[in-house]
Amino acid sequence: MISFQNVTKKFSTTITAVEGINLDVKKGEFVFLVGPSGAGKSTLLRLLSREYLPTTGKVIVDEIDISKLKSSDIPIYRRKIGFVFQDFKLLEDRTVLENVALALQVREIPELEIAKEVERTLKLFEIWERRNLFPRQLSGGEAQRTAIARAIIGKPEVLLADEPTGDLDPQTAWSVLQLLGEINSWGTTVVMATHNKEIVDAQKRRVITIKGGKIIKDRNEGKYDLH
Ligand code: ADP
């Protein structure tokens, strides 16, 4: 499903964010990406979402070399990818319902169908009662559930999450993780960058450790261990 083939990303002659990355993620996998701050985790996610182009090497998704996409094909490619961030990145002047609906309104989907799908998703994520609130009126957990609803409502094949529990209290962090696990059980591939040792150690999932832009460890049922 995802294949990094000898990928290096340099931002300048002196800044190499990731170097010589070789990594395969199968369809339906759930993987944690761990490593110290500045290790290159966000860069890897942004190479996958095609925000960044590799300096050298290839990023292949569904057998397509995504650096070769024409700019007109990038929006279509991005439908495959949902992205969730630490700071939610919700539109502050839109309600919960509008934030989530917008993800479908940019496509040619009939309004009635959008309304049904938004209602189903908000109910599933237990934020239907909050649908007319604005992001600043939400708790951190509600904001992150809204952001995840927005990311997955278009049924992406891959969900990328960059420190999605970083700003949440432990209990809320667990509920977000449970939600990501559920989304993964529907068949969505999940790649989550995190510093949350407790969560990583409790999950017994594949853990890829990156340090100084290189993969130093890749273990099934791995632990959060940066050494
Ligand atoms: P992490 O997500 O593991 O904290 P990042 O991928 O954000 O790490 O960063 C890896 C390295 O690349 C850091 O040295 C960072 O400063 C640098 N970097 C990341 N994005 C940019 C950018 N847009 N321009 C210049 N340098 C960047």
Side-chain angles (χ1 to χ4, degrees), residues 17-211:
V18 295
E19 194 173 0
I21 297 287
N22 287 297
L23 173 65
D24 288 301
V25 177
K26 291 195 194 79
K27 194 170 171 55
E29 263 194 294
F30 188 128
V31 305
F32 287 119
L33 212 50
V34 307
S37 191
K41 304 182 296 295
S42 297
T43 301
L44 283 186
L45 297 182
R46 286 172 193 278
L47 284 162
L48 269 177
S49 62
R50 184 50 167 85
E51 276 166 83
Y52 295 158
L53 283 171
T55 309
T56 54
K58 285 183 187 171
V59 181
I60 314 276
V61 178
D62 263 351
E63 294 170 18
I64 293 169
D65 178 349
I66 63 170
S67 12
K68 300 236 165 79
L69 290 173
K70 285 185 288 184
S71 49
S72 58
D73 287 334
I74 293 173
I76 298 160
Y77 168 69
R78 293 230 172 95
R79 290 179 189 175
K80 277 185 205 278
I81 310 275
F83 215 132
V84 181
F85 305 90
Q86 175 167 357
D87 59 356
F88 322 128
K89 297 204 192 301
L90 296 168
L91 298 175
E92 293 294 329
D93 59 345
R94 307 280 178 122
T95 63
V96 165
L97 187 138
E98 289 165 347
N99 263 283
V100 176
L102 207 57
L104 295 181
Q105 282 159 346
V106 297
R107 305 184 189 181
E108 283 166 19
I109 300 174
E111 278 297 326
L112 194 64
E113 209 175 300
I114 293 177
K116 272 195 204 155
E117 192 57 21
V118 170
E119 179 173 345
R120 192 183 72 80
T121 306
L122 296 188
K123 284 183 173 165
L124 186 68
F125 284 23
E126 296 176 5
I127 41 176
W128 177 244
E129 304 300 322
R130 302 280 186 274
R131 64 189 177 281
N132 294 321
L133 297 183
F134 290 91
R136 66 175 182 285
Q137 299 172 304
L138 303 173
S139 70
E142 290 161 356
Q144 196 55 296
R145 292 209 300 278
T146 304
I148 298 170
R150 178 184 59 181
I152 62 97
I153 194 160
K155 302 192 169 55
E157 291 173 44
V158 182
L159 181 62
L160 305 177
D162 198 351
E163 295 282 356
T165 62
D167 279 344
L168 306 176
D169 62 74
Q171 199 183 340
T172 311
W174 277 108
S175 68
V176 163
L177 208 83
Q178 204 177 355
L179 198 52
L180 296 179
E182 201 173 318
I183 292 163
N184 175 245
S185 74
W186 305 336
T188 313
T189 308
V190 178
V191 183
M192 171 170 163
T194 185
H195 276 116
N196 195 321
K197 177 172 170 38
E198 267 189 33
I199 279 181
V200 170
D201 288 352
Q203 289 279 313
K204 297 197 166 53
R205 294 200 187 264
R206 181 174 171 196
V207 178
I208 296 158
T209 310
I210 165 162
K211 214 170 171 180

